Amino acid sequence: MESRTLKWLLSGAVMLLIWTFGSSVDMQLFTTVKAEARPASGLYQLESEIAAAMRSRSEQLRIDYAGDAAELTAGIKTTVRQALTHDEYIAYIVDSYFYSIRTWNGVSRIKLSLRYRETPAQTAEVDRQVASVIGTLIEPGMNDHQKVKAIHDWIVLRLAYDGALSGYTAFESLQTGTAVCQGYALLAYKMLTAAGIPARIAEGKVASGDHAWNLVLLEGKWFHLDTTWDDPVPDVQGRVRYDYYLKTDAELRRDHSWTRTYPAATTDYAGVVSAAALNDPGKAAFYTGLERELGFVWLKPEHTSASADDLRDKLQAAVLSGQTTLKVRYVDGDRAKADLQEALAGMGEFGFTSYKAAFSPFGADGAVLLDVTLQK
């Protein structure tokens, strides 16, 4: 998502403001819609008129403002920004806008011009394709957990990140199969809401610059969902990651930041899944698979070890059951190698003379995923 630039000029009774969102689009795709001059007597009414113009994808709006001219001059920038918040999808397809104010005999004539990244016809096509996909992707009886996962996986498998940084819209993502983060987030927003899942579009920064993702409401709790960062770059056919799947604010802040106010995401999704599995035994297979794909299985006590003695017990239990491998989450990653060597002492009585071990970081609390193979 490219940064936004603001340029403004104020001179006498005439004010001109230009607001651009990233690169421009081919405006020949649009049919200019001109609105007759409408009256407005206050900033709240002005905000409503501008929001309505954006929803109808008007490119030009003229308003005769009968309110206080000084209040208008001081507040119009905020008023236009507030109008953008009325519809999140529209806010992210407005490419740029500019306005001028001319005041004469107590009446301020406002002229607002807007440009969009996506035409009304293109948005309608997005809605048509999304409805078609949702109609086949979402099966009868699916709960919201299943719907969110199905939509997340479909987007990650369907799209590839646009290295040319040119595809910003849901329409472009569906037409070309590529998009930048904004295209991913807009498509996810459309698909989630079409499936009846409340969603938001969020924006902020990551190490590489500006970024966009989503917030999703599940069981009354908000979670972050970043489909862009769950899609491998370069693209890997058939591969889906879950590193940024339904995360808390704290989890996402490890490499994302934001300054806008969004619903707080404070609930650990692992606990939500665990509770849902108990409350809905009919979908046990889905939750078991979900826990494995998201790595939640390694949070369970039977797959966690915190000492050399416990690790030895688990290794011996594995051997006695005929296995030569063990995979567990080891709580203290800094001690994992030394504790493994201590645990392996005495395993020679089972006929094993060597081993292979892999240590992979797990989470942000210093734990590692320990994968051991015993050899004779």
Side-chain angles (χ1 to χ4, degrees), residues 133-154 195-197 218 280 283 286-287:
V133 171
I134 293 298
T136 57
L137 188 65
I138 306 304
E139 300 175 357
M142 273 188 169
N143 62 26
D144 287 351
H145 296 274
Q146 292 173 303
K147 292 176 184 178
V148 171
K149 185 175 185 300
I151 290 169
H152 168 274
D153 291 0
W154 189 91
I197 308 294
L218 272 176
D280 191 2
K283 297 189 185 306
F286 164 74
Y287 288 116

Side-chain angles (χ1 to χ4, degrees), residues 91-112:
Y92 284 92
I93 62 171
V94 172
D95 179 60
S96 63
Y97 64 81
F98 68 89
Y99 61 77
S100 63
I101 302 174
R102 296 179 183 273
T103 302
W104 190 259
N105 290 334
V107 176
S108 299
R109 169 61 64 89
I110 304 167
K111 180 180 178 182
L112 175 65

Side-chain angles (χ1 to χ4, degrees), residues 49-355:
E49 291 287 351
I50 294 172
M54 291 175 177
R55 284 194 298 271
S56 63
R57 217 67 61 85
S58 297
E59 291 186 347
Q60 292 186 13
L61 179 67
R62 291 179 174 84
I63 297 177
D64 287 335
Y65 188 83
D68 183 84
E71 181 185 53
L72 173 64
T73 300
I76 189 168
K77 182 167 65 176
T78 300
T79 299
V80 176
R81 287 176 175 173
Q82 282 298 115
L84 283 165
T85 67
H86 286 222
D87 186 314
E88 286 196 347
Y89 190 82
I90 292 293
Y92 284 92
I93 62 171
V94 172
D95 179 60
S96 63
Y97 64 81
F98 68 89
Y99 61 77
S100 63
I101 302 174
R102 296 179 183 273
T103 302
W104 190 259
N105 290 334
V107 176
S108 299
R109 169 61 64 89
I110 304 167
K111 180 180 178 182
L112 175 65
S113 298
L114 299 123
R115 297 194 302 174
Y116 303 88
R117 293 184 182 276
E118 196 172 88
T119 69
Q122 289 171 342
T123 303
E125 178 61 16
V126 170
D127 291 337
R128 187 195 68 78
Q129 290 194 38
V130 165
S132 177
V133 171
I134 293 298
T136 57
L137 188 65
I138 306 304
E139 300 175 357
M142 273 188 169
N143 62 26
D144 287 351
H145 296 274
Q146 292 173 303
K147 292 176 184 178
V148 171
K149 185 175 185 300
I151 290 169
H152 168 274
D153 291 0
W154 189 91
I155 291 173
V156 172
L157 292 171
R158 173 69 170 74
L159 300 187
Y161 188 76
D162 180 13
L165 306 180
S166 60
Y168 281 79
T169 67
F171 177 78
E172 290 167 315
S173 71
L174 289 170
Q175 290 296 109
T176 67
T178 64
V180 298
C181 58
Q182 184 169 304
Y184 278 79
L186 287 170
L187 181 57
Y189 175 82
K190 279 288 190 181
M191 293 185 70
L192 289 163
T193 54
I197 308 294
R200 296 284 306 273
I201 302 169
E203 67 174 78
K205 290 187 177 294
V206 293
S208 58
D210 294 334
H211 190 55
W213 63 96
N214 297 98
L215 281 157
V216 180
L217 185 64
L218 272 176
E219 296 192 11
K221 308 294 184 183
W222 285 97
F223 301 91
H224 293 273
L225 180 71
D226 193 339
T227 52
T228 307
W229 278 31
D230 274 347
D231 198 357
V233 178
D235 194 54
V236 179
Q237 289 293 319
R239 184 180 176 189
V240 179
R241 297 189 305 201
Y242 299 96
D243 297 336
Y244 297 88
Y245 187 87
L246 303 181
K247 296 298 184 180
T248 65
D249 289 340
E251 289 172 321
L252 202 72
R253 281 199 177 103
R254 294 169 192 162
D255 43 32
H256 291 54
S257 65
W258 57 95
T259 57
R260 291 193 176 189
T261 301
Y262 298 111
T266 58
T267 303
D268 184 8
Y269 188 56
V272 173
V273 172
S274 180
L278 292 174
N279 295 330
D280 191 2
K283 297 189 185 306
F286 164 74
Y287 288 116
T288 297
L290 184 64
E291 287 182 325
R292 183 163 293 278
E293 286 185 295
L294 302 186
F296 295 163
V297 66
W298 306 115
L299 300 175
K300 295 180 179 294
E302 62 269 28
H303 297 298
T304 299
S305 188
S307 68
D309 288 342
D310 179 68
L311 190 55
R312 181 184 298 110
D313 291 342
K314 283 183 168 55
L315 281 165
Q316 291 179 348
V319 170
L320 291 174
S321 64
Q323 302 175 42
T324 58
T325 62
L326 176 68
K327 191 171 185 178
V328 295
R329 179 176 64 94
Y330 202 74
V331 174
D332 189 348
D334 291 337
R335 288 199 51 82
K337 188 172 183 180
D339 286 353
L340 174 62
Q341 292 175 339
E342 182 180 339
L344 287 168
M347 291 298 291
E349 65 180 279
F350 294 98
F352 297 104
T353 58
S354 62
Y355 69 92

